Amino acid sequence: MGQLTLSAVRKSYAPLEIIKGVNLEVRDGEFMVFVGPSGCGKSTLLRMIAGLEEITAGDIHIDGQRVNDLPPVKRGIAMVFQSYALYPHMSVFENIAFPLRVEKLPEDKIKSQVEQAARVLHLESRLQQRPGQLSGGQRQRVAIGRAIVRHPKIFLFDEPLSNLDAALRADMRIELARLHKQLAATMIYVTHDQIEAMTMADRIVVLNGGVIAQVGAPLELYHKPADLFVATFIGNPRMNLLPVTAVASDGAGMTVDYRGQRVTLPVAARPTEPGTALTLGIRPDHVQIGPADLALSLKPTVIERLGPQTVAYASTEAGDGFCALLPGMAGVRVDEPMLAGVRVTDCHLFDAVGRAYERSIDLSQMDAGLLRPAVAA
Ligand code: ADP
Ligand code: MG
């Protein structure tokens, strides 16, 4: 078992409050990702779960037991850090075996556990080498091995891949997802990288300034961001934001005006004073060439050709910055105006304080298996 509950958890480094009341339930066996900008409190929250940091207020329960006052070793957790924290003078075998030696396990038990972890992590041929002889990815696997042999209820990872180059990060993402499947363990994974969050998580917790902005499956956050912060944090290139004014709210949704053009968006209407300033959100990947419900005349200023996709950074006739992600070798050129269209069903709408109007897209009607990343064991 590895179920975790955080209740009204707070942390202050006087006079600053860093974690401002976090409530969260992590299910047994779940791969939960904490994501958010640098300094938002991800590591602090993880260290409080681990017991490396005292909590200022609130409660932490693991499998129903209150662990506020339990030292780290008694919590049944294992933590893997960005800096691998390996012993350079010890072999890979001894690095992985270290927690078992501390527990004074018999030699044959240690050997079988280390070998089992090495098999899972494809490190069998490296056991007699020193960390200095390994690549960054292999070193991180040794650090994970040291966590695995402890059979923790919950694995905690703090940006474990941030030191690796991009190609290796992509490989390790897949390995970690597979490891999660094999071990069926609860994992909490901290990253500032939204791609890591989207590709590995069962659910993502988006943190902003010490509070949870939203918790949900990756595609839930993509399709139904709760506010402007989540909307612009999840998705790459980031969501375009255009200033609009409210015209009417009724059963059909919200009618808004973008610089003289009126569209009705299928979102849950809220009584909104006509003329109220709102924000229209459009993901670059929802822009098509040619007219649609909303038509925009764009003038590209920068074009990036990635091969499978073309990214056009442009401005609208009104001078609002706007990015379009187009499939393949789109025939767009710098300084040549292009007509772009967006379907109203793809639009997002936010109120003056940045809260999203609920979109009518019904994720519960979608195949649940399609909402999450998946990997074969
Ligand atoms: P993240 O991991 O999301 O980048 P951290 O949890 O490391 O953020 O830090 C959150 C905030 O808490 C930062 O502003 C950081 O400066 C502050 N902080 C972290 N540890 C301490 C400490 N020991 N004393 C004072 N402030 C701290
Ligand atoms: Mg951190």
Side-chain angles (χ1 to χ4, degrees), residues 13 18 36-45 53 158-159 190:
Y13 294 110
I18 303 296
S38 190
C40 70
K42 304 179 297 293
S43 294
T44 303
L45 196 54
E53 205 73 73
D158 194 353
E159 310 224 13
V190 163

Side-chain angles (χ1 to χ4, degrees), residues 10-51:
R10 291 175 179 274
K11 176 73 185 178
S12 297
Y13 294 110
L16 284 184
E17 189 168 43
I18 303 296
I19 300 292
K20 302 168 183 169
V22 164
N23 294 293
L24 182 68
E25 185 108 6
V26 181
R27 300 168 193 145
D28 182 40
E30 193 165 29
F31 198 123
M32 184 69 112
V33 173
F34 293 175
V35 73
S38 190
C40 70
K42 304 179 297 293
S43 294
T44 303
L45 196 54
L46 206 66
R47 292 168 59 79
M48 289 195 290
I49 295 168

Side-chain angles (χ1 to χ4, degrees), residues 223-246:
H223 288 295
K224 291 194 159 191
D227 61 20
L228 272 174
F229 179 82
V230 177
T232 52
F233 193 81
I234 300 287
N236 186 32
R238 54 176 253 158
M239 185 186 281
N240 295 295
L241 303 177
L242 297 175
V244 295
T245 51

Side-chain angles (χ1 to χ4, degrees), residues 80 121 139-149 155 157 160-161 172 176 179:
V80 178
L121 296 165
R139 282 182 223 179
Q140 193 50 282
R141 290 213 294 267
V142 176
I144 294 168
R146 195 169 48 190
I148 288 179
V149 293
F155 285 85
F157 294 94
L161 308 186
M172 284 297 286
L176 276 173
L179 186 68

Side-chain angles (χ1 to χ4, degrees), residues 2-240:
Q3 188 267 341
L4 172 78
T5 308
L6 305 180
S7 315
V9 168
R10 291 175 179 274
K11 176 73 185 178
S12 297
Y13 294 110
L16 284 184
E17 189 168 43
I18 303 296
I19 300 292
K20 302 168 183 169
V22 164
N23 294 293
L24 182 68
E25 185 108 6
V26 181
R27 300 168 193 145
D28 182 40
E30 193 165 29
F31 198 123
M32 184 69 112
V33 173
F34 293 175
V35 73
S38 190
C40 70
K42 304 179 297 293
S43 294
T44 303
L45 196 54
L46 206 66
R47 292 168 59 79
M48 289 195 290
I49 295 168
L52 299 171
E53 205 73 73
E54 243 179 72
I55 68 176
T56 310
D59 282 310
I60 300 180
H61 288 84
I62 295 176
D63 288 340
Q65 185 193 10
R66 186 173 177 274
V67 299
N68 289 32
D69 305 316
L70 277 190
V73 290
K74 296 253 173 81
R75 294 190 183 194
I77 49 101
M79 191 152 167
V80 178
F81 300 91
Q82 177 180 347
S83 62
Y84 322 118
L86 300 178
Y87 299 106
H89 59 286
M90 288 185 190
S91 66
V92 166
F93 184 100
E94 286 305 326
N95 266 284
I96 297 177
F98 190 79
L100 304 178
R101 298 231 183 270
V102 172
E103 281 180 44
K104 300 206 183 343
L105 242 62
E107 192 60 40
D108 58 328
K109 271 252 171 67
I110 292 181
K111 188 160 183 293
S112 75
Q113 295 225 25
V114 171
E115 282 171 355
Q116 194 190 344
R119 252 195 314 281
V120 171
L121 296 165
H122 309 296
L123 285 170
E124 297 113 306
S125 62
R126 307 282 175 180
L127 285 172
Q128 296 319 316
Q129 295 182 325
R130 300 269 160 102
Q133 295 168 276
L134 304 181
S135 69
Q138 289 163 340
R139 282 182 223 179
Q140 193 50 282
R141 290 213 294 267
V142 176
I144 294 168
R146 195 169 48 190
I148 288 179
V149 293
R150 298 180 54 201
H151 294 293
K153 292 179 184 171
I154 303 175
F155 285 85
L156 305 179
F157 294 94
D158 194 353
E159 310 224 13
L161 308 186
S162 298
N163 282 346
L164 307 179
D165 64 51
L168 202 50
R169 268 211 307 274
D171 290 348
M172 284 297 286
R173 281 207 308 263
I174 294 169
E175 290 213 20
L176 276 173
R178 196 170 284 143
L179 186 68
H180 173 247
K181 184 104 174 184
Q182 270 178 25
L183 301 177
T186 308
M187 295 187 170
I188 303 178
Y189 186 101
V190 163
T191 179
H192 62 268
D193 180 331
Q194 56 115 351
I195 302 285
E196 281 183 19
M198 294 296 282
T199 53
M200 293 197 286
D202 290 317
R203 287 191 302 158
I204 298 174
V205 177
V206 183
L207 284 164
N208 180 20
V211 298
I212 293 180
Q214 191 171 1
V215 183
L219 289 190
E220 232 171 300
L221 302 190
Y222 173 82
H223 288 295
K224 291 194 159 191
D227 61 20
L228 272 174
F229 179 82
V230 177
T232 52
F233 193 81
I234 300 287
N236 186 32
R238 54 176 253 158
M239 185 186 281
N240 295 295

